[in-house]
Amino acid sequence: MIPDDPDAQARLFYLAALLLVVAGGLIHHYRGRLSAALQHAALWLLIILGLILAYDFRDRLGPALFPDLAQQAGAQTISLRRANDGHFHARLKVNGTEIRFMIDTGATGIVLSQQDAGRAGIDTDSLSYVIPSSTANGTVMGAGVVLDRIELGGFVDHAVRAVVNAGDMQGSLLGMAYLDRFRSFSVEGDSFILTR
């Protein structure tokens, strides 16, 4: 059925002409190679079906593929999935730069590795590493800093205190000084739930 609207008619004509051009090109390209044409058509059909399924299951696939991305679990609630290493990790934006943290309820504050601090725009060479911290590997010195902006799953905080570790750290830690900004947090199976 041809629509009454002139704009819709023009779009329909354009799409029909485009389909004829593409079909003509394909017929010319696959002339005499019917089996190759069918194989390519089947492959494209599988790709399109895969994309449709991935889109339909994005709410389940997202946390499984990226457990450190915060998922909205309610109006004021986000959740994180346990990673393969058994820990919970979170990707936060620190001063506009995405940094991956390991959640550590045994840590007092936010502890940045020197590499992550540098990525967040902190000049680590000019810091004064005078704050002692007791770790499993002994005492490590750190430098106090104030992060202009920190964001997790839509929750934004400003002027957040943190420590840049002078020692060799594999990554950064997200401790109680940040977690206490939430009304509650809990572990439910493989989910870490934070509510403001």
Side-chain angles (χ1 to χ4, degrees), residues 110-176:
I110 299 171
V111 183
L112 291 167
S113 69
Q114 288 192 32
Q115 181 182 13
D116 287 343
R119 289 179 49 232
I122 298 168
D123 181 6
T124 58
D125 293 332
S126 68
L127 297 176
S128 179
Y129 296 91
V130 295
I131 302 171
S133 297
S134 296
T135 70
N137 297 325
T139 301
V140 178
M141 302 306 283
V145 295
V146 176
L147 306 174
D148 295 331
R149 177 184 166 99
I150 188 167
E151 179 179 355
L152 173 63
F155 297 118
V156 178
D157 294 291
H158 297 278
V160 178
R161 293 186 179 280
V163 172
V164 177
N165 193 317
D168 186 25
M169 286 181 68
Q170 295 298 318
S172 296
L173 301 176
L174 196 62
M176 293 303 296

Short mmCIF file of all heavy atoms in Angstrom, two decimals, residues 110-176:
data_model
loop_
_atom_site.label_atom_id
_atom_site.label_comp_id
_atom_site.label_asym_id
_atom_site.label_seq_id
_atom_site.Cartn_x
_atom_site.Cartn_y
_atom_site.Cartn_z
N ILE A 110 40.38 5.89 49.80
CA ILE A 110 40.60 5.67 48.38
C ILE A 110 42.11 5.74 48.17
O ILE A 110 42.75 6.73 48.53
CB ILE A 110 39.89 6.74 47.53
CG1 ILE A 110 38.39 6.70 47.77
CG2 ILE A 110 40.22 6.57 46.06
CD1 ILE A 110 37.64 7.86 47.13
N VAL A 111 42.67 4.69 47.61
CA VAL A 111 44.11 4.64 47.39
C VAL A 111 44.36 4.49 45.89
O VAL A 111 43.94 3.51 45.28
CB VAL A 111 44.76 3.46 48.15
CG1 VAL A 111 46.27 3.47 47.94
CG2 VAL A 111 44.42 3.52 49.63
N LEU A 112 45.04 5.48 45.33
CA LEU A 112 45.36 5.48 43.90
C LEU A 112 46.79 5.02 43.69
O LEU A 112 47.70 5.43 44.42
CB LEU A 112 45.22 6.87 43.31
CG LEU A 112 43.81 7.45 43.20
CD1 LEU A 112 43.87 8.93 42.91
CD2 LEU A 112 43.04 6.74 42.11
N SER A 113 46.98 4.20 42.68
CA SER A 113 48.35 3.89 42.26
C SER A 113 48.91 5.15 41.61
O SER A 113 48.16 6.03 41.17
CB SER A 113 48.37 2.72 41.28
OG SER A 113 47.78 3.11 40.04
N GLN A 114 50.22 5.24 41.53
CA GLN A 114 50.82 6.42 40.89
C GLN A 114 50.42 6.52 39.43
O GLN A 114 50.17 7.61 38.91
CB GLN A 114 52.34 6.37 41.04
CG GLN A 114 52.80 6.63 42.45
CD GLN A 114 54.29 6.86 42.55
OE1 GLN A 114 54.91 7.39 41.64
NE2 GLN A 114 54.86 6.46 43.67
N GLN A 115 50.32 5.38 38.76
CA GLN A 115 49.93 5.39 37.35
C GLN A 115 48.51 5.93 37.18
O GLN A 115 48.25 6.78 36.33
CB GLN A 115 50.04 3.98 36.76
CG GLN A 115 49.67 3.92 35.29
CD GLN A 115 49.74 2.50 34.74
OE1 GLN A 115 49.83 1.53 35.47
NE2 GLN A 115 49.70 2.39 33.43
N ASP A 116 47.56 5.43 38.00
CA ASP A 116 46.18 5.92 37.91
C ASP A 116 46.07 7.39 38.30
O ASP A 116 45.31 8.14 37.69
CB ASP A 116 45.27 5.07 38.78
CG ASP A 116 45.01 3.68 38.19
OD1 ASP A 116 45.25 3.49 36.99
OD2 ASP A 116 44.56 2.80 38.94
N ALA A 117 46.83 7.79 39.31
CA ALA A 117 46.82 9.21 39.72
C ALA A 117 47.30 10.09 38.57
O ALA A 117 46.72 11.14 38.29
CB ALA A 117 47.68 9.41 40.96
N GLY A 118 48.35 9.67 37.89
CA GLY A 118 48.85 10.43 36.75
C GLY A 118 47.82 10.52 35.64
O GLY A 118 47.65 11.58 35.02
N ARG A 119 47.09 9.42 35.39
CA ARG A 119 46.04 9.43 34.36
C ARG A 119 44.92 10.39 34.73
O ARG A 119 44.25 10.94 33.86
CB ARG A 119 45.50 8.02 34.16
CG ARG A 119 46.48 7.10 33.46
CD ARG A 119 45.95 5.67 33.27
NE ARG A 119 44.62 5.67 32.70
CZ ARG A 119 43.59 5.01 33.22
NH1 ARG A 119 43.72 4.31 34.32
NH2 ARG A 119 42.41 5.05 32.62
N ALA A 120 44.69 10.57 36.05
CA ALA A 120 43.63 11.47 36.52
C ALA A 120 44.09 12.92 36.59
O ALA A 120 43.37 13.78 37.10
CB ALA A 120 43.12 11.01 37.89
N GLY A 121 45.29 13.20 36.11
CA GLY A 121 45.77 14.58 36.05
C GLY A 121 46.52 15.05 37.28
O GLY A 121 46.74 16.25 37.44
N ILE A 122 46.94 14.13 38.13
CA ILE A 122 47.68 14.51 39.34
C ILE A 122 49.17 14.40 39.04
O ILE A 122 49.64 13.38 38.53
CB ILE A 122 47.29 13.58 40.51
CG1 ILE A 122 45.80 13.75 40.83
CG2 ILE A 122 48.15 13.86 41.74
CD1 ILE A 122 45.25 12.69 41.76
N ASP A 123 49.90 15.45 39.36
CA ASP A 123 51.36 15.45 39.18
C ASP A 123 51.99 14.68 40.33
O ASP A 123 52.21 15.24 41.41
CB ASP A 123 51.89 16.88 39.12
CG ASP A 123 53.39 16.95 38.89
OD1 ASP A 123 54.02 15.89 38.66
OD2 ASP A 123 53.95 18.06 38.96
N THR A 124 52.26 13.41 40.13
CA THR A 124 52.75 12.55 41.21
C THR A 124 54.17 12.90 41.65
O THR A 124 54.55 12.59 42.77
CB THR A 124 52.69 11.07 40.79
OG1 THR A 124 53.47 10.88 39.61
CG2 THR A 124 51.25 10.64 40.52
N ASP A 125 54.94 13.55 40.80
CA ASP A 125 56.32 13.92 41.16
C ASP A 125 56.36 15.07 42.17
O ASP A 125 57.34 15.21 42.90
CB ASP A 125 57.13 14.31 39.91
CG ASP A 125 57.35 13.11 38.99
OD1 ASP A 125 57.39 11.97 39.50
OD2 ASP A 125 57.48 13.33 37.77
N SER A 126 55.32 15.87 42.20
CA SER A 126 55.32 17.03 43.10
C SER A 126 54.67 16.73 44.45
O SER A 126 54.59 17.61 45.31
CB SER A 126 54.59 18.21 42.43
OG SER A 126 53.22 17.91 42.30
N LEU A 127 54.20 15.51 44.66
CA LEU A 127 53.51 15.16 45.91
C LEU A 127 54.52 14.88 47.03
O LEU A 127 55.66 14.48 46.78
CB LEU A 127 52.63 13.93 45.70
CG LEU A 127 51.48 14.09 44.71
CD1 LEU A 127 50.74 12.75 44.55
CD2 LEU A 127 50.51 15.17 45.16
N SER A 128 54.05 15.06 48.24
CA SER A 128 54.85 14.78 49.43
C SER A 128 54.32 13.50 50.07
O SER A 128 53.24 13.50 50.67
CB SER A 128 54.75 15.95 50.40
OG SER A 128 55.51 15.69 51.55
N TYR A 129 55.10 12.41 49.95
CA TYR A 129 54.67 11.09 50.42
C TYR A 129 55.04 10.95 51.90
O TYR A 129 56.10 10.42 52.24
CB TYR A 129 55.30 10.00 49.56
CG TYR A 129 54.83 10.05 48.12
CD1 TYR A 129 55.53 10.80 47.17
CD2 TYR A 129 53.68 9.39 47.72
CE1 TYR A 129 55.09 10.87 45.86
CE2 TYR A 129 53.23 9.45 46.41
CZ TYR A 129 53.95 10.20 45.48
OH TYR A 129 53.51 10.27 44.19
N VAL A 130 54.15 11.42 52.78
CA VAL A 130 54.44 11.45 54.21
C VAL A 130 53.40 10.71 55.05
O VAL A 130 53.51 10.66 56.27
CB VAL A 130 54.58 12.91 54.72
CG1 VAL A 130 55.77 13.59 54.07
CG2 VAL A 130 53.29 13.69 54.47
N ILE A 131 52.38 10.14 54.42
CA ILE A 131 51.31 9.46 55.15
C ILE A 131 51.62 7.96 55.19
O ILE A 131 51.60 7.30 54.16
CB ILE A 131 49.93 9.70 54.50
CG1 ILE A 131 49.63 11.19 54.42
CG2 ILE A 131 48.84 8.95 55.25
CD1 ILE A 131 48.40 11.52 53.59
N PRO A 132 51.89 7.40 56.39
CA PRO A 132 52.18 5.97 56.46
C PRO A 132 50.89 5.14 56.44
O PRO A 132 49.88 5.53 57.01
CB PRO A 132 52.90 5.82 57.80
CG PRO A 132 52.40 6.96 58.63
CD PRO A 132 52.06 8.07 57.67
N SER A 133 50.94 4.01 55.74
CA SER A 133 49.81 3.08 55.69
C SER A 133 50.33 1.68 55.96
O SER A 133 51.34 1.27 55.37
CB SER A 133 49.13 3.11 54.34
OG SER A 133 48.58 4.38 54.07
N SER A 134 49.65 0.98 56.84
CA SER A 134 50.03 -0.41 57.12
C SER A 134 49.33 -1.34 56.15
O SER A 134 48.11 -1.28 56.00
CB SER A 134 49.64 -0.78 58.56
OG SER A 134 50.36 0.00 59.47
N THR A 135 50.11 -2.17 55.48
CA THR A 135 49.56 -3.14 54.53
C THR A 135 50.08 -4.51 54.90
O THR A 135 50.90 -4.68 55.79
CB THR A 135 49.98 -2.79 53.08
OG1 THR A 135 51.39 -3.04 52.94
CG2 THR A 135 49.67 -1.35 52.74
N ALA A 136 49.60 -5.52 54.18
CA ALA A 136 50.07 -6.88 54.41
C ALA A 136 51.56 -7.00 54.10
O ALA A 136 52.24 -7.88 54.62
CB ALA A 136 49.27 -7.85 53.55
N ASN A 137 52.06 -6.12 53.26
CA ASN A 137 53.48 -6.15 52.88
C ASN A 137 54.33 -5.17 53.69
O ASN A 137 55.47 -4.91 53.34
CB ASN A 137 53.64 -5.82 51.38
CG ASN A 137 52.97 -6.86 50.52
OD1 ASN A 137 52.96 -8.04 50.86
ND2 ASN A 137 52.40 -6.43 49.41
N GLY A 138 53.76 -4.63 54.75
CA GLY A 138 54.51 -3.68 55.58
C GLY A 138 53.96 -2.28 55.44
O GLY A 138 52.89 -2.05 54.89
N THR A 139 54.73 -1.30 55.93
CA THR A 139 54.30 0.09 55.89
C THR A 139 54.70 0.72 54.56
O THR A 139 55.82 0.56 54.09
CB THR A 139 54.96 0.88 57.04
OG1 THR A 139 54.57 0.28 58.28
CG2 THR A 139 54.52 2.33 57.03
N VAL A 140 53.75 1.41 53.96
CA VAL A 140 53.95 2.09 52.68
C VAL A 140 53.58 3.56 52.87
O VAL A 140 52.61 3.87 53.56
CB VAL A 140 53.10 1.46 51.57
CG1 VAL A 140 53.26 2.18 50.25
CG2 VAL A 140 53.42 -0.01 51.39
N MET A 141 54.32 4.44 52.26
CA MET A 141 54.05 5.87 52.38
C MET A 141 53.11 6.32 51.25
O MET A 141 53.13 5.77 50.15
CB MET A 141 55.35 6.66 52.34
CG MET A 141 56.34 6.28 53.43
SD MET A 141 55.65 6.36 55.10
CE MET A 141 55.68 8.13 55.36
N GLY A 142 52.30 7.33 51.55
CA GLY A 142 51.38 7.87 50.57
C GLY A 142 51.29 9.38 50.68
O GLY A 142 51.79 9.98 51.63
N ALA A 143 50.66 9.98 49.68
CA ALA A 143 50.49 11.43 49.65
C ALA A 143 49.00 11.75 49.56
O ALA A 143 48.28 11.17 48.73
CB ALA A 143 51.22 12.02 48.45
N GLY A 144 48.54 12.65 50.40
CA GLY A 144 47.13 13.04 50.39
C GLY A 144 46.82 13.96 49.21
O GLY A 144 47.61 14.85 48.88
N VAL A 145 45.70 13.71 48.56
CA VAL A 145 45.23 14.54 47.45
C VAL A 145 43.72 14.73 47.60
O VAL A 145 43.06 14.01 48.35
CB VAL A 145 45.54 13.91 46.07
CG1 VAL A 145 47.03 13.83 45.82
CG2 VAL A 145 44.90 12.54 45.92
N VAL A 146 43.18 15.70 46.88
CA VAL A 146 41.74 15.90 46.81
C VAL A 146 41.33 15.75 45.35
O VAL A 146 41.85 16.45 44.47
CB VAL A 146 41.33 17.29 47.36
CG1 VAL A 146 39.83 17.50 47.18
CG2 VAL A 146 41.72 17.42 48.82
N LEU A 147 40.42 14.82 45.10
CA LEU A 147 39.93 14.59 43.74
C LEU A 147 38.78 15.55 43.47
O LEU A 147 37.83 15.62 44.25
CB LEU A 147 39.47 13.13 43.60
CG LEU A 147 40.50 12.07 43.99
CD1 LEU A 147 39.88 10.68 43.95
CD2 LEU A 147 41.72 12.16 43.10
N ASP A 148 38.88 16.28 42.37
CA ASP A 148 37.86 17.28 42.06
C ASP A 148 36.48 16.65 41.87
O ASP A 148 35.48 17.16 42.35
CB ASP A 148 38.23 18.05 40.78
CG ASP A 148 39.49 18.87 40.96
OD1 ASP A 148 39.76 19.30 42.10
OD2 ASP A 148 40.20 19.08 39.97
N ARG A 149 36.46 15.52 41.15
CA ARG A 149 35.17 14.89 40.81
C ARG A 149 35.38 13.39 40.69
O ARG A 149 36.35 12.94 40.08
CB ARG A 149 34.67 15.47 39.48
CG ARG A 149 33.38 14.86 38.97
CD ARG A 149 33.05 15.46 37.60
NE ARG A 149 32.03 14.71 36.91
CZ ARG A 149 30.74 15.03 36.88
NH1 ARG A 149 30.33 16.11 37.50
NH2 ARG A 149 29.87 14.29 36.23
N ILE A 150 34.45 12.65 41.26
CA ILE A 150 34.49 11.19 41.16
C ILE A 150 33.06 10.71 40.89
O ILE A 150 32.11 11.20 41.50
CB ILE A 150 35.11 10.56 42.43
CG1 ILE A 150 35.33 9.07 42.25
CG2 ILE A 150 34.31 10.86 43.65
CD1 ILE A 150 36.21 8.46 43.32
N GLU A 151 32.90 9.80 39.93
CA GLU A 151 31.57 9.38 39.50
C GLU A 151 31.51 7.86 39.38
O GLU A 151 32.39 7.24 38.80
CB GLU A 151 31.22 10.02 38.16
CG GLU A 151 29.87 9.62 37.62
CD GLU A 151 29.54 10.30 36.30
OE1 GLU A 151 30.34 11.15 35.84
OE2 GLU A 151 28.51 9.94 35.72
N LEU A 152 30.44 7.28 39.92
CA LEU A 152 30.17 5.86 39.80
C LEU A 152 28.70 5.67 39.49
O LEU A 152 27.83 6.03 40.29
CB LEU A 152 30.52 5.11 41.10
CG LEU A 152 30.13 3.63 41.16
CD1 LEU A 152 30.86 2.83 40.09
CD2 LEU A 152 30.39 3.05 42.52
N GLY A 153 28.41 5.13 38.33
CA GLY A 153 27.04 4.80 37.96
C GLY A 153 26.05 5.95 38.07
O GLY A 153 24.92 5.75 38.48
N GLY A 154 26.47 7.15 37.74
CA GLY A 154 25.58 8.30 37.81
C GLY A 154 25.64 9.06 39.13
O GLY A 154 25.13 10.16 39.24
N PHE A 155 26.27 8.48 40.17
CA PHE A 155 26.44 9.17 41.43
C PHE A 155 27.73 9.98 41.36
O PHE A 155 28.79 9.42 41.11
CB PHE A 155 26.50 8.19 42.61
CG PHE A 155 25.23 7.40 42.79
CD1 PHE A 155 25.23 6.03 42.68
CD2 PHE A 155 24.04 8.05 43.07
CE1 PHE A 155 24.07 5.30 42.86
CE2 PHE A 155 22.87 7.33 43.25
CZ PHE A 155 22.88 5.96 43.14
N VAL A 156 27.63 11.28 41.59
CA VAL A 156 28.77 12.18 41.45
C VAL A 156 29.10 12.80 42.80
O VAL A 156 28.21 13.25 43.53
CB VAL A 156 28.48 13.30 40.42
CG1 VAL A 156 29.65 14.26 40.32
CG2 VAL A 156 28.14 12.70 39.07
N ASP A 157 30.39 12.80 43.14
CA ASP A 157 30.87 13.45 44.36
C ASP A 157 32.01 14.40 43.99
O ASP A 157 32.76 14.14 43.04
CB ASP A 157 31.38 12.41 45.36
CG ASP A 157 30.27 11.52 45.87
OD1 ASP A 157 29.42 12.03 46.62
OD2 ASP A 157 30.22 10.33 45.50
N HIS A 158 32.12 15.48 44.75
CA HIS A 158 33.16 16.48 44.50
C HIS A 158 34.05 16.61 45.74
O HIS A 158 33.62 16.33 46.85
CB HIS A 158 32.53 17.83 44.18
CG HIS A 158 31.70 17.82 42.93
ND1 HIS A 158 32.25 17.94 41.67
CD2 HIS A 158 30.37 17.66 42.74
CE1 HIS A 158 31.28 17.87 40.77
NE2 HIS A 158 30.13 17.70 41.39
N ALA A 159 35.28 17.05 45.51
CA ALA A 159 36.25 17.29 46.58
C ALA A 159 36.38 16.07 47.49
O ALA A 159 36.14 16.12 48.69
CB ALA A 159 35.87 18.52 47.39
N VAL A 160 36.77 14.95 46.88
CA VAL A 160 36.90 13.68 47.60
C VAL A 160 38.36 13.45 47.95
O VAL A 160 39.24 13.49 47.08
CB VAL A 160 36.36 12.51 46.74
CG1 VAL A 160 36.54 11.19 47.46
CG2 VAL A 160 34.90 12.75 46.37
N ARG A 161 38.62 13.19 49.23
CA ARG A 161 39.99 12.94 49.67
C ARG A 161 40.43 11.54 49.27
O ARG A 161 39.66 10.59 49.33
CB ARG A 161 40.10 13.09 51.19
CG ARG A 161 39.90 14.50 51.67
CD ARG A 161 40.17 14.61 53.17
NE ARG A 161 39.99 15.96 53.63
CZ ARG A 161 40.90 16.93 53.48
NH1 ARG A 161 42.04 16.68 52.91
NH2 ARG A 161 40.65 18.14 53.93
N ALA A 162 41.71 11.44 48.89
CA ALA A 162 42.30 10.15 48.50
C ALA A 162 43.78 10.19 48.84
O ALA A 162 44.33 11.22 49.23
CB ALA A 162 42.09 9.90 47.01
N VAL A 163 44.42 9.04 48.69
CA VAL A 163 45.86 8.92 48.93
C VAL A 163 46.49 8.31 47.68
O VAL A 163 45.97 7.34 47.13
CB VAL A 163 46.14 8.03 50.16
CG1 VAL A 163 47.63 7.74 50.30
CG2 VAL A 163 45.61 8.68 51.42
N VAL A 164 47.60 8.89 47.26
CA VAL A 164 48.39 8.31 46.17
C VAL A 164 49.50 7.50 46.82
O VAL A 164 50.28 8.02 47.62
CB VAL A 164 48.97 9.39 45.24
CG1 VAL A 164 49.85 8.75 44.17
CG2 VAL A 164 47.86 10.22 44.62
N ASN A 165 49.55 6.22 46.50
CA ASN A 165 50.51 5.31 47.11
C ASN A 165 51.88 5.46 46.47
O ASN A 165 52.00 5.46 45.24
CB ASN A 165 49.99 3.88 46.95
CG ASN A 165 50.73 2.88 47.80
OD1 ASN A 165 51.94 2.92 47.89
ND2 ASN A 165 49.99 1.98 48.40
N ALA A 166 52.91 5.56 47.30
CA ALA A 166 54.28 5.68 46.78
C ALA A 166 54.84 4.33 46.35
O ALA A 166 55.79 4.26 45.58
CB ALA A 166 55.20 6.30 47.84
N GLY A 167 54.24 3.25 46.86
CA GLY A 167 54.73 1.91 46.54
C GLY A 167 54.25 1.43 45.18
O GLY A 167 53.52 2.11 44.46
N ASP A 168 54.66 0.21 44.86
CA ASP A 168 54.29 -0.40 43.58
C ASP A 168 52.95 -1.10 43.75
O ASP A 168 52.86 -2.13 44.42
CB ASP A 168 55.38 -1.39 43.17
CG ASP A 168 55.14 -1.95 41.77
OD1 ASP A 168 54.46 -1.27 40.99
OD2 ASP A 168 55.62 -3.06 41.50
N MET A 169 51.90 -0.54 43.16
CA MET A 169 50.55 -1.12 43.23
C MET A 169 50.12 -1.57 41.85
O MET A 169 50.38 -0.89 40.86
CB MET A 169 49.53 -0.09 43.74
CG MET A 169 49.60 0.21 45.21
SD MET A 169 48.33 1.43 45.67
CE MET A 169 46.82 0.49 45.45
N GLN A 170 49.42 -2.71 41.79
CA GLN A 170 48.89 -3.20 40.52
C GLN A 170 47.67 -2.40 40.06
O GLN A 170 47.38 -2.32 38.89
CB GLN A 170 48.52 -4.68 40.64
CG GLN A 170 49.72 -5.58 40.90
CD GLN A 170 50.71 -5.52 39.76
OE1 GLN A 170 50.34 -5.51 38.59
NE2 GLN A 170 51.99 -5.44 40.09
N GLY A 171 46.94 -1.83 41.01
CA GLY A 171 45.75 -1.07 40.69
C GLY A 171 45.37 -0.20 41.87
O GLY A 171 46.09 -0.14 42.86
N SER A 172 44.23 0.44 41.77
CA SER A 172 43.77 1.34 42.83
C SER A 172 42.71 0.65 43.67
O SER A 172 42.03 -0.27 43.22
CB SER A 172 43.23 2.62 42.22
OG SER A 172 44.27 3.31 41.54
N LEU A 173 42.57 1.13 44.92
CA LEU A 173 41.62 0.54 45.87
C LEU A 173 40.53 1.54 46.22
O LEU A 173 40.80 2.72 46.42
CB LEU A 173 42.34 0.12 47.16
CG LEU A 173 43.46 -0.89 47.03
CD1 LEU A 173 44.13 -1.11 48.38
CD2 LEU A 173 42.93 -2.21 46.47
N LEU A 174 39.32 1.02 46.33
CA LEU A 174 38.17 1.83 46.72
C LEU A 174 37.75 1.38 48.11
O LEU A 174 37.17 0.31 48.28
CB LEU A 174 37.03 1.64 45.72
CG LEU A 174 35.90 2.64 45.73
CD1 LEU A 174 36.42 4.03 45.39
CD2 LEU A 174 34.82 2.24 44.75
N GLY A 175 38.09 2.18 49.12
CA GLY A 175 37.85 1.79 50.50
C GLY A 175 36.64 2.46 51.12
O GLY A 175 35.80 3.06 50.45
N MET A 176 36.60 2.38 52.44
CA MET A 176 35.42 2.80 53.20
C MET A 176 35.13 4.30 53.12
O MET A 176 33.97 4.71 53.22
CB MET A 176 35.58 2.38 54.66
CG MET A 176 35.55 0.87 54.86
SD MET A 176 34.05 0.10 54.21
CE MET A 176 32.80 0.83 55.25
#
